[in-house]
Amino acid sequence: MRRGDGGPFGAVVVKSGKIIARGWNCVTSANDPTAHAEVMAIREACRKLKRFEISDCELYTSCEPCPMCLAAIYWARLGEIYYANTRRDAARLDFDDDLIYRELARPISRRRLSMRHLLRREALAVFEEWRAKADKIAY
């Protein structure tokens, strides 16, 4: 944050009591809206451990994770999360993730972002191909 990398967020991934990865917000410096501290730390931990599942690790973060980071935490199968500031604390600084939390609770047809369902049959064919793929790595 002090170097101008991004917002006031940081995170570490810990395995067996040792920090194995660090992440900080790089949204503005990387021009990447997904470069949140938690995501950056998870990416680094997975690179170091050479695996996409890190259930034997914990995440320590400076703020309650936003919906995107929370989803990444679930996908990484992290064992536990520790956080300092709340999402309401972040909202007071204009980091208002509550909008996303509210939108996710709404039916798709009532969300601000227009979403249209199309080409399901064609898309299902790819899913069926995946189901039959003998050498897939399940996650």
Side-chain angles (χ1 to χ4, degrees), residues 30-59:
N31 293 314
D32 179 353
T34 69
H36 288 199
E38 297 89 340
V39 171
M40 301 297 280
I42 290 167
R43 288 174 181 167
E44 180 65 19
C46 290
R47 259 193 306 277
K48 284 185 175 177
L49 296 174
K50 297 181 178 17
R51 53 191 164 102
F52 54 82
E53 181 274 328
I54 53 175
S55 60
D56 56 345
C57 297
E58 300 95 36
L59 180 86

Side-chain angles (χ1 to χ4, degrees), residues 18-106:
K18 181 181 173 198
I19 294 173
I20 62 162
R22 300 172 195 278
W24 54 91
N25 184 286
C26 294
V27 169
T28 57
S29 60
N31 293 314
D32 179 353
T34 69
H36 288 199
E38 297 89 340
V39 171
M40 301 297 280
I42 290 167
R43 288 174 181 167
E44 180 65 19
C46 290
R47 259 193 306 277
K48 284 185 175 177
L49 296 174
K50 297 181 178 17
R51 53 191 164 102
F52 54 82
E53 181 274 328
I54 53 175
S55 60
D56 56 345
C57 297
E58 300 95 36
L59 180 86
Y60 291 79
T61 183
S62 62
C63 191
E64 181 180 355
C66 75
M68 177 187 69
C69 291
L70 190 56
I73 289 163
Y74 274 104
W75 277 112
R77 313 284 198 277
L78 276 150
E80 204 158 359
I81 305 168
Y82 300 91
Y83 65 94
N85 292 307
T86 68
R87 68 191 206 211
R88 283 164 185 65
D89 297 329
R92 283 193 286 278
L93 298 174
D94 296 326
F95 294 102
D96 194 1
D97 301 329
D98 272 343
L99 165 69
I100 301 168
Y101 279 105
R102 287 190 308 271
E103 285 291 301
L104 289 173
R106 292 182 176 154

